[in-house]
Amino acid sequence: MAESLLRETPLKAVQVEALVVMKIVKHCSQAFPSTATGSIVGMDVNGILQVTNTFPFPAVDLPLTESHHDSNAASNLAASAPRSKANSVYQTEMIKHLREVNVDANNVGWYTSANMGNFVTGNMIENQFFYQKELNERTVAIVHDVSRSSQGNLTLRAFRLSPSFMASYKEGKFTTETLQKSKLSYKDILVELPLTIHNSHLLTSFLHQLPSKPPAEELKFPSTLSSLSKDPSTPLPPLYPNLDSLDLSIDPFLEKTCDLLLDSIETHNTELNNYQYYQRQLGREQAKITAWQLKRKTENAARVAAKQTPLPEDEYTRLFKLPQEPSRLEALLNSRQVEQYSRQVDGFTASVSGKMFAVKSNLLPGG
């Protein structure tokens, strides 16, 4: 009864312990630029998935070569590690040992590293489908963006596959007809859950009692009486004079994200060209079938007039072979990745665009 009620309660949020976050960040940073993956354990409490421990999957050692193909193979092996048989056995043994020492031993998902928000891939979808289908339906995938986090902005997000996408992925058919029937779009692939970081009360008390180090440099005394009476912890108003506001340099992450966005758009055009080629091939074959059927009907009419046995009219299935429609899954994933890059660009350009418009006249020729 309790288990049925637990399954009926949808997952509302993910709560990750601070120690787990530090373990994930350390593992992903050490493995960068390769993909790092691992398992997370915890428990589900009233729709809130509490992640209390984690452990990484063993790294795959390949012979050192300079071949680009070998580097791609190593990256694919690392990305597909969560669903490999060896790591499944390793995960089961680790959870068994955690249970022996009275630690939360319920698998609640896995984590992976990403670079510049590039995580909507086939391996990520297959891994999460493996967890939601085989191990535990109430599992999440935690994505840690190493590049964004290296600049002091921790990027940690939790995702699940939507029920509609799970049903379509289980059938394995991503044709135009099935997508129209299920009304599945790229927005329905992943469901993001709000993620919070939790500290124990003991740790919070310890952090508040940590003594601050004395300043290493000489303190700058206030220049005016008003500055002396002002609280330094009070944030400055938005229009307060600040030299940093005059910096016109574009964020390097914006440039890299734009490059990745262009690559994704080129991939989308390639998928579109492949589908258009399929439509042209299908049109030619259907035209041949129509011409053959018309010719066969004319022959049968003549044979009937001559009191002869008419020929079968379904032989075209053996003579002509219709081309198979390519899967639309890659186009869906690429569209979702384009949306991810677009959101990142939108966030980066909030401050840069205002500065560029302010000095637009000086940037134009003859300004």
Side-chain angles (χ1 to χ4, degrees):
M1 183 66 180
E3 184 177 354
S4 62
L5 290 175
L6 184 63
R7 289 183 176 275
E8 292 176 359
T9 305
L11 289 179
K12 298 177 291 186
V14 178
Q15 179 180 290
V16 186
E17 293 294 328
L19 181 59
V20 175
V21 175
M22 295 177 66
K23 287 182 178 180
I24 293 176
V25 170
K26 180 181 179 182
H27 179 214
C28 296
S29 301
Q30 290 177 345
F32 187 79
S34 300
T35 303
T37 54
S39 177
I40 54 178
V41 295
M43 62 180 63
D44 180 11
V45 181
N46 298 326
I48 298 179
L49 203 63
Q50 298 181 357
V51 182
T52 57
N53 206 345
T54 181
F55 54 88
F57 289 125
V60 180
D61 295 331
L62 292 178
L64 296 176
T65 58
E66 297 182 356
S67 174
H68 180 68
H69 176 73
D70 292 340
S71 62
N72 288 339
S75 178
N76 290 332
L77 282 175
S80 61
R83 64 180 187 275
S84 65
K85 292 183 178 179
N87 284 334
S88 296
V89 175
Y90 172 77
Q91 178 178 258
T92 305
E93 290 295 323
M94 283 293 295
I95 291 178
K96 179 182 177 182
H97 294 322
L98 291 175
R99 187 178 293 112
E100 291 176 354
V101 295
N102 198 22
V103 176
D104 292 338
N106 299 320
N107 179 266
V108 294
W110 62 290
Y111 70 84
T112 182
S113 62
N115 182 19
M116 296 301 301
N118 184 15
F119 61 88
V120 188
T121 60
N123 280 322
M124 189 264 189
I125 299 298
E126 289 184 27
N127 292 338
Q128 183 58 22
F129 177 79
F130 172 77
Y131 272 81
Q132 284 190 221
K133 172 179 174 292
E134 297 290 342
L135 299 179
N136 184 6
E137 182 183 358
R138 305 172 70 80
T139 55
V140 296
I142 295 180
V143 180
H144 172 58
D145 196 326
V146 182
S147 300
R148 297 282 304 275
S149 301
S150 62
Q151 300 299 314
N153 182 22
L154 178 63
T155 305
L156 206 64
R157 305 170 69 183
F159 294 95
R160 277 173 53 84
L161 295 179
S162 65
S164 58
F165 184 81
M166 285 287 295
S168 300
Y169 199 87
K170 189 176 296 183
E171 293 180 2
K173 295 181 180 179
F174 286 93
T175 60
T176 304
E177 182 181 359
T178 56
L179 292 179
Q180 289 177 346
K181 288 182 179 179
S182 60
K183 297 181 180 180
L184 184 69
S185 67
Y186 67 92
K187 296 181 180 179
D188 303 324
I189 298 177
L190 296 173
V191 177
E192 185 173 4
L193 298 176
L195 186 146
T196 57
I197 299 176
H198 176 260
N199 284 328
S200 64
H201 297 300
L202 185 62
L203 179 58
T204 304
S205 301
F206 174 73
L207 292 176
H208 282 293
Q209 294 176 3
L210 280 177
S212 59
K213 294 183 179 180
E217 301 178 356
E218 185 178 356
L219 295 177
K220 295 182 179 179
F221 293 98
S223 57
T224 61
L225 185 61
S226 59
S227 300
L228 182 63
S229 60
K230 186 176 181 181
D231 186 4
S233 61
T234 304
L236 298 176
L239 299 180
Y240 191 82
N242 188 0
L243 294 178
D244 294 337
S245 302
L246 303 177
D247 186 13
L248 296 179
S249 62
I250 299 177
D251 195 331
F253 284 96
L254 175 60
E255 299 179 10
K256 182 62 177 176
T257 303
C258 289
D259 292 339
L260 295 173
L261 178 60
L262 291 176
D263 292 341
S264 296
I265 293 175
E266 291 179 1
T267 304
H268 179 75
N269 289 333
T270 302
E271 293 290 335
L272 185 61
N273 292 334
N274 292 338
Y275 187 73
Q276 291 176 344
Y277 176 76
Y278 154 76
Q279 288 182 318
R280 291 193 296 267
Q281 288 288 99
L282 181 63
R284 284 193 288 264
E285 293 298 323
Q286 288 178 341
K288 291 180 182 179
I289 292 175
T290 303
W292 183 89
Q293 288 177 334
L294 183 61
K295 181 180 178 182
R296 178 55 59 91
K297 287 181 180 180
T298 305
E299 292 177 357
N300 285 339
R303 291 177 70 89
V304 170
K307 297 182 179 180
Q308 296 179 355
T309 305
L311 299 174
E313 296 185 0
D314 58 350
E315 288 185 355
Y316 69 91
T317 57
R318 181 173 53 85
L319 298 175
F320 301 96
K321 185 178 181 181
L322 294 177
Q324 186 176 3
E325 181 179 354
S327 176
R328 307 290 290 166
L329 177 60
E330 288 298 328
L332 284 176
L333 297 181
N334 190 69
S335 299
R336 178 63 177 81
Q337 187 61 64
V338 168
E339 182 192 27
Q340 173 65 27
Y341 288 146
S342 301
R343 290 181 178 179
Q344 291 181 186
V345 171
D346 185 32
F348 285 139
T349 55
S351 60
V352 177
S353 299
K355 298 177 184 178
M356 290 301 178
F357 277 110
V359 297
K360 181 179 180 181
S361 58
N362 294 331
L363 296 177
L364 293 176

